[in-house]
Amino acid sequence: MSSAVLSIGSNLGDRLAHLRGVVDGLGRRAVAVSPVYSTAPWGGVEQDDYLNAIVLVEDPEFGARDWLRIGQQLEQAAGRLREVRWGARTLDVDVVWCAEGGQVCHSDDPELTLPHPQAHNRAFVLIPWLDVQPDAVLEVDGTARPVRELLAELDAAERSGVRSTEFALPGATATGGSAS
């Protein structure tokens, strides 16, 4: 059995439709979906705000590379172009964390680094993750840490920049609010 945490985001075109397309494309593999948040762009490139969510996925036939592959297929279906690092995009699907057979996956491959090397710095990942998995743990520099602690260590401005929306995705929890 493989399970993963996917971070999804969009800030071009019909942002909500792009996120819904991910959940629809994952089908029964999507076992939990966070509320949708609005967030300022991360990385210093001037652009519109993102809609972000987390999707927990499971599939007995999948491995970490399969989650990457399906994420890239969904990005392509949404017309994703990779022109500017951290630039605007129709859809971004990141594999944040993965486990196979109950063991956390580790990878140094530049195409798929696991656990995601910047997830612990991104409130737009941590806040919705806690909505669907309140006891989540993420390994940072070789040490497993509760996601709740990692979030608390972020700058207050980073946390407050993740704002609840009225938008919902199929299978989402009813309300957000882990940012407090």
Side-chain angles (χ1 to χ4, degrees), residues 10-99:
S10 174
N11 76 337
L12 285 177
D14 188 339
R15 301 174 303 162
L16 188 59
H18 293 310
L19 299 186
R20 284 184 176 140
V22 171
V23 178
D24 291 345
L26 292 167
R28 288 184 283 183
R29 292 181 186 106
V31 296
V33 181
S34 77
V36 176
Y37 289 87
S38 176
T39 63
W42 200 90
V45 176
E46 187 67 31
Q47 57 192 297
D48 291 335
D49 285 354
Y50 278 82
L51 290 182
N52 292 100
I54 288 286
V55 183
L56 302 183
V57 291
E58 292 181 354
D59 191 309
E61 304 297 319
F62 269 41
R65 292 221 169 265
D66 297 305
W67 297 120
L68 175 65
R69 178 186 47 76
I70 199 168
Q72 290 174 339
Q73 289 171 348
L74 292 164
E75 289 174 347
Q76 289 172 345
R80 163 89 186 257
L81 299 175
R82 295 178 183 270
E83 296 173 334
V84 177
R85 184 176 178 145
W86 293 319
R89 57 201 73 168
T90 54
L91 182 62
D92 187 35
V93 179
D94 285 337
V95 182
V96 173
W97 177 94
C98 184

